[in-house]
Amino acid sequence: MVWWQNAAIYQVYPRSFRDSNGDGEGDLNGVIAGLDYLESLGIDAIWLSPFYKTPNKDGGYDVSNPRDVDPRFGNLADAENLIRESHRRNIKIIVDIVPNHFSTEHSWFQEALNAPSQSQERARFHFYDGRGESGEIPPNNWNSIFGGPAWTRIKESNGEAGQWYLHLFDSSQPDLNWDNTEVMEDFKKTLRFWLQRGVDGFRIDVAHGLVIEDIHKDHADPEGLSAALRLDVLMDPAKRNELLASNPFFDRDGVHEIYRKWRKLFDSYGDRDIMAVAEIWVQPPTRATLYVRADELHQFFNFDVMNSPFESKDLYENISNTLKLVQAENAWPTWCLSNHDCERVASRIGSDAARAMALFVLALPGSTYIYNGQELGLPTGEMADSDRQDPIYFRTKGDEKGRDGARVPMPWSGESSPFGFTSGKPWLPLQSTWREYTVENELKESDSSLNLYRKALRIRKEYLKGAGEITWLSTEGVLSYQRGKVTVILNTTYTSFPFSGEVLLSSHKIQNTLPPKSAVWLIKN
Ligand code: GLC
Ligand code: CA
């Protein structure tokens, strides 16, 4: 087995994990300070959300230099130190790569602004003349995924209104033109830069973007097109899937060519077993497995389970379908319940169901991703609108609250906010009621969510490695599967379920019956 195939991977959102210097924002030295905690939690790898140079208009996913560290997070030496310290504890490091766009503050974009239209500098992005008499209408009618138009018009160096550039996300995130070989060369340089510093893998942001078709055509439903990716927007799932499936800027066939080239680069590092996991939102699910063909990437995020209601029908269909599709490609699945872009699982399905779901997915074959704070059972944070920072909030003029609630810093210790996260003023407020969720408190409480995760990860290492196969024992109401010697049962019904067998671990206190919204691992001797 290769390390990532069955790994428990912990996502650190560096700004919110732990602050080492009192400026209110988490940083790389904070992550180093948290390594003992992560080691004792029992994870195998850390995925670090971006910590590169950034004006921070989109939480660091607006990168102005991917080969340097932003001062708010520390410096290159800190990054190297973090990689070294993690490796010393047998923890691998996965870093985020953001290939769909740069920040407007990246030197390439600044050069493009100062260069004439049709220049080599502009050809690294998507610059076009507008339509209409004086070019006042954008090249097409697409909307940004964060709301508002996907085009911004620039001032040329003579001071006059000029060309438009495409930004599928915020206007501070100009899309890169992947038809331009300079872009590929620059990303290869970035991948090598981090590989030389010892990282073990990459999480690829918006991996299904990059290739754009029909840029000179209007779309019939520009609002829907962009909203299809915003998880906090309620939309009919069928409609959403249809929009994702026929989207001119997502999941175009040409994107696979890019990853075949990247895969060659990864493989050239031989026995380091470099891996890459793709953030993709594609439909139908058969399209997802194309990204993990033998000569492409290693994994993709399976967001179906993350978004699934706590109902046996949806869960069974999503999980069994994923396993079937991924195994057909000879690849390994991934599971996650939360990340920095969506409501926290404890708030989405409730804290009991979240504990039960944790056990249910932690026993599945493949790797499992845990978002910082998820192990504490942390709910989505609440805040005043004046505290919000997510560009989604601003671009939708407040119609959507955005993702800040998922990014509220971790509570570590003590009786009152900011609960040991920082000695200063936290960049987003921690709830004053979060005393019960601190690491310090949960370590003491034997039934805490943290202790459930710690036990589960330990047992997972011992009993649940290898063997990709599971056998479904029950697929309705009460879901159950067998993996090796372990039987997993999840009760999604409203009545208790009697079972017999030796209990390895349970999400709640149980005695021969499994209450609603709980799960158990049994061991066959
Ligand atoms: C991904 C990231 C998200 C970011 C977006 C644009 O979806 O997870 O946080 O805003 O890409 O880079
Ligand atoms: Ca700091």
Side-chain angles (χ1 to χ4, degrees):
M1 290 262 306
V2 184
W3 70 269
W4 49 265
Q5 290 172 337
N6 213 41
I9 301 165
Y10 186 92
Q11 179 190 357
V12 167
Y13 193 73
R15 208 176 171 199
S16 302
F17 185 69
R18 203 173 159 125
D19 178 21
S20 74
N21 62 354
D23 66 358
E25 298 190 65
D27 43 52
L28 295 180
N29 281 329
V31 185
I32 295 174
L35 283 177
D36 288 343
Y37 165 70
L38 295 179
E39 184 180 20
S40 76
L41 177 59
I43 52 131
D44 305 299
I46 294 171
W47 149 31
L48 289 164
S49 277
F51 51 87
Y52 317 117
K53 272 240 174 208
T54 176
N56 206 18
K57 296 277 192 315
D58 181 26
Y61 284 92
D62 49 321
V63 179
S64 56
N65 182 353
R67 300 188 285 273
D68 202 356
V69 173
D70 197 88
R72 70 163 51 76
F73 295 119
N75 56 38
L76 262 179
D78 297 334
E80 286 168 0
N81 200 10
L82 170 56
I83 296 167
R84 209 172 23 243
E85 284 298 312
S86 303
H87 285 169
R88 207 164 62 75
R89 294 168 171 82
N90 264 325
I91 295 173
K92 306 270 189 193
I93 292 283
I94 296 170
V95 296
D96 225 303
I97 286 289
V98 190
N100 186 70
H101 44 263
F102 276 158
S103 156
T104 43
E105 289 188 15
H106 190 287
S107 60
W108 274 14
F109 194 77
Q110 291 301 316
E111 284 163 30
L113 287 181
N114 293 320
S117 41
Q118 316 302 334
S119 60
Q120 220 181 313
E121 287 81 1
R122 290 219 175 152
R124 293 159 172 164
F125 301 90
H126 295 282
F127 276 93
Y128 291 102
D129 293 335
R131 297 177 292 178
E133 229 152 79
S134 53
E136 72 283 8
I137 306 169
N140 69 31
N141 71 346
W142 298 350
N143 271 356
S144 145
I145 287 146
F146 289 168
W151 295 92
T152 293
R153 195 171 192 189
I154 63 160
K155 253 202 186 110
E156 300 292 348
S157 37
N158 62 9
E160 278 171 26
Q163 287 196 303
W164 298 76
Y165 67 89
L166 177 73
H167 51 87
L168 293 177
F169 294 88
D170 187 51
S171 57
S172 66
Q173 295 165 300
D175 275 57
L176 285 160
N177 175 11
W178 276 88
D179 287 334
N180 186 328
T181 51
E182 270 192 88
V183 174
M184 174 61 91
E185 287 318 307
D186 191 71
F187 270 85
K188 283 189 176 166
K189 205 165 148 186
T190 299
L191 295 171
R192 287 206 187 91
F193 180 91
W194 291 107
L195 286 167
Q196 271 158 20
R197 278 158 187 78
V199 307
D200 307 285
F202 300 95
R203 178 262 188 189
I204 303 169
D205 188 64
V206 201
H208 58 313
L210 280 52
V211 172
I212 294 173
E213 289 176 2
D214 296 332
I215 204 160
H216 294 293
K217 263 197 217 156
D218 280 344
H219 192 272
D221 182 4
E223 272 291 327
L225 190 64
S226 65
L229 206 79
R230 291 207 302 277
L231 292 181
D232 48 350
V233 185
L234 280 177
M235 198 200 274
D236 163 25
K239 167 99 177 151
R240 184 165 173 210
N241 290 351
E242 179 197 312
L243 284 162
L244 279 177
S246 64
N247 184 311
F249 48 74
F250 282 155
D251 194 31
R252 302 295 90 198
D253 288 333
V255 79
H256 296 286
E257 216 26 66
I258 297 170
Y259 298 129
R260 285 194 193 102
K261 292 187 177 139
W262 287 22
R263 178 59 179 259
K264 287 206 181 98
L265 187 152
F266 301 148
D267 286 351
S268 74
Y269 288 78
D271 59 9
R272 272 175 63 185
D273 291 323
I274 304 303
M275 65 81 84
V277 54
E279 184 210 20
I280 52 171
W281 298 87
V282 301
Q283 281 295 333
T286 45
R287 293 286 303 181
T289 48
L290 300 179
Y291 290 78
V292 291
R293 286 178 287 193
D295 59 348
E296 295 196 33
L297 303 174
H298 303 80
Q299 297 182 325
F300 63 87
F301 281 110
N302 174 3
F303 295 122
D304 287 342
V305 174
M306 182 178 83
N307 292 320
S308 168
F310 186 68
E311 281 176 27
S312 63
K313 184 171 178 291
D314 301 84
L315 290 170
Y316 171 68
E317 271 173 17
N318 288 339
I319 293 172
S320 60
N321 201 24
T322 300
L323 285 170
K324 237 181 276 158
L325 289 173
V326 168
Q327 279 157 1
E329 283 301 337
N330 230 342
W332 287 79
T334 70
W335 313 99
C336 65
L337 298 176
S338 281
N339 65 31
H340 63 293
D341 290 329
C342 63
E343 194 176 4
R344 283 190 175 274
V345 62
S347 296
R348 195 176 67 80
I349 59 176
S351 52
D352 286 327
R355 288 175 73 111
M357 274 304 289
L359 283 200
F360 199 66
V361 301
L362 281 172
L364 287 168
S367 38
T368 207
Y369 286 79
I370 300 166
Y371 176 49
N372 58 200
Q374 179 188 328
E375 76 280 20
L376 304 173
L378 209 61
T380 303
E382 284 163 23
M383 67 196 73
D385 285 348
S386 55
D387 286 323
R388 296 192 189 281
Q389 309 215 5
D390 188 346
I392 291 182
Y393 175 74
F394 298 103
R395 293 187 62 89
T396 62
K397 305 204 164 56
D399 283 351
E400 287 161 39
K401 297 294 183 197
R403 303 161 294 178
D404 294 307
R407 301 172 181 181
V408 171
M410 288 254 296
W412 288 88
S413 59
E415 302 296 313
S416 59
S417 175
F419 297 111
F421 163 71
T422 177
S423 58
K425 182 176 182 292
W427 70 281
L428 285 177
L430 288 82
Q431 237 83 112
S432 58
T433 52
W434 278 6
R435 193 199 148 271
E436 61 172 307
Y437 296 109
T438 63
V439 169
E440 179 185 49
N441 186 54
E442 293 208 17
L443 283 174
K444 279 195 296 230
E445 302 284 337
S446 59
D447 293 334
S448 67
S449 176
L450 175 56
N451 278 321
L452 179 68
Y453 272 84
R454 283 160 61 102
K455 285 178 212 153
L457 290 171
R458 212 162 304 138
I459 297 173
R460 178 184 156 93
K461 273 218 174 80
E462 197 177 332
Y463 293 98
L464 295 159
K465 47 192 170 200
E469 296 292 314
I470 66 168
T471 310
W472 287 97
L473 305 174
S474 160
T475 60
E476 261 180 61
V478 172
L479 289 181
S480 175
Y481 63 84
Q482 180 85 36
R483 180 166 174 216
K485 284 184 165 180
V486 180
T487 305
V488 180
I489 313 175
L490 172 76
N491 188 355
T492 69
T493 73
Y494 292 99
T495 50
S496 289
F497 174 76
F499 69 91
S500 59
E502 188 185 328
V503 174
L504 258 182
L505 185 61
S506 60
S507 64
H508 296 77
K509 283 214 170 82
I510 55 169
Q511 257 169 4
N512 299 326
T513 63
L514 198 59
K517 296 189 187 170
S518 64
V520 65
W521 290 357
L522 306 174
I523 180 88
K524 226 195 330 206
N525 285 313

